[in-house]
Amino acid sequence: MSVGEKVDVMAHDISLPELTFRGMFLGMLLTAIFTASNVYLGLKVGLTFSSSIPAAVISVAVLRMFKNSNILENNMVQTQVSAAGTLSAIIFVIPGLLMCGYWTHFPLWQTFLICICGGTLGVIFTIPLRRAMVVHSDLTYPEGRAAAEILKAGSVVPGENNKEKVKDDENGLREIGFGTGIAALTGLCSSGFRLLSGEISWAFMAGKAVFNVTCGLSLALLGAGYLIGMAGGMAMLIGLILSWGIITPYFSSLVHIPAGMSMVDFAYSVWSSKVRLIGTGTIGIAALWTLLMLLKPVIDGMKEMWENTKRGGDTAQNLHRMDTDLSPKWMGIIFAITVVCLFGTFYTFVEAIGFSFGLTVAFTCLGTFLAVLIGFLVAAACGYMAGLVGSSSSPISGIGLIGIIISSLAILLLGSTQGIFSTPEGNKFAIAFAIFTTSVILATATISNDNLQDLKTGLLVGATPWRQQVALMIGCVFGACVIAPVLNMLYEAYGFPGAFPRPGMDPSQAMAAPQATLIET
């Protein structure tokens, strides 16, 4: 390539750096920031955001300082960071192990292995779906497209005049720094110095019905809402109107307010015990329907991958660079290692209860089988929903509900034959084991949700799929390293509903962990 010659990043034979050490290092730093933010936000209000777009903005600005940075390298950074940020959705389930009293803290290695094994399965299971759901599909993948446009607008292209792009990136970094400073100052004044109120609630009665109006000050939610977009925001607004304007008043009109309970507390109790279950059931049915609708794309993707494998190595070598996934051989090796690690993780979890060796192995096999089977089934559903509404708006909570129901039924069947429900310890173990299994399933679901979104970005900017799949696995490793320490830190600082590390802690300051509370219930 001569000096000043414009590079076609969609070409088969290019020499641009793509998966680099400096990119992975930047991705590691951004992973720590966005994963910690997502863990806090998810435990506080039950909502996480996709880190693809902010990671893409930061990457194109930072890597601009290096002479040979390019759009493919920037794409790998956002791919890695988005995987780690998405993996943090595991906090929707795993705190239930503390709430049910089975854990007293988050064990570092078990939490790490849950995240990395579930995340790796999510990558492996969605590789056969890439052609059917990304290349040959009309699904929009809104966040994937948005990230691609940011990368195209900001990345340096050899042979082009990039002065305007450099100026735009400098402005973008200043805006990110300004937003970070404002959010930190607001959080310090509200949660630290208590100079600002984070939430104000007001309830009133109309006849026998109780209406509740809540106003909150949260710049984190403001930013998350911007990332979710108008469609997701309107869906949440409609849900808010239905739950607090219609369903909660209806159920509250059927019973009397208990003596000594305020109207605000009464409204929240009705919402928690009735309305939230209705919404979760709706999500669960929608997820099941999606699974049924996606059987054909799953089968088509598996057939195409198998046909390419049967054609032999020469055909694989003749494929365009942008159409090469991880080879079936490497997929098989990674899958086998992951299943072995998953088996070991389940074994250490079950062994702690003190069952006989045979029963311990039986529960270990059951947990591993459920995690792999259900994880495979939900991978397509999550990838499809990400294509429709984006990763941030995908109903992962419904996947968690399906996982806990199926796991509980299987555990009930095995446990009843072995008489483990005859003791309080056995009952507690059954609940904890179902939550533990669902944690792995949810980790698989969240990465499946993110993988195809990132592969869509890669398709639009000229990335090599197998390198992106490696970057996704690297992101899972970095994310898993961050999640457990941050979970422990937040638990020690705030606690969860019904689970506090020390006596005398203020329950009003506890992290709500709404989905985990529902699953534990």
Side-chain angles (χ1 to χ4, degrees), residues 87-108:
L87 188 62
S88 61
I90 195 175
I91 52 93
F92 291 151
V93 177
I94 200 168
L97 289 166
L98 278 79
M99 296 176 186
C100 72
Y102 194 81
W103 276 359
T104 58
H105 66 287
F106 294 99
L108 180 61

Side-chain angles (χ1 to χ4, degrees), residues 137-150 453 456-457 460:
S137 170
D138 58 357
L139 291 172
T140 57
Y141 291 99
E143 288 159 349
R145 289 181 178 274
E149 291 303 316
I150 290 173
Q453 193 87 246
K456 183 66 174 183
T457 303
L460 295 174

Side-chain angles (χ1 to χ4, degrees), residues 236-259:
M236 295 182 70
L237 178 61
I238 293 172
L240 178 69
I241 294 171
L242 288 174
S243 60
W244 290 105
I246 299 176
I247 305 177
T248 298
Y250 168 74
F251 280 114
S252 66
S253 68
L254 302 180
V255 295
H256 296 288
I257 301 178

Side-chain angles (χ1 to χ4, degrees), residues 14 51 55 57 69 91 94-95 124 129 171 221 223 227 237 277 323 325 340 395 397 410 419 439 441 472 475 501:
I14 59 173
S51 51
V57 173
S69 66
I91 52 93
I94 200 168
I124 295 296
L129 301 175
N171 292 334
L221 279 179
L227 291 174
L237 178 61
L277 296 177
D323 198 30
D325 296 299
V340 170
S397 300
S439 298
I441 295 170
L472 283 160

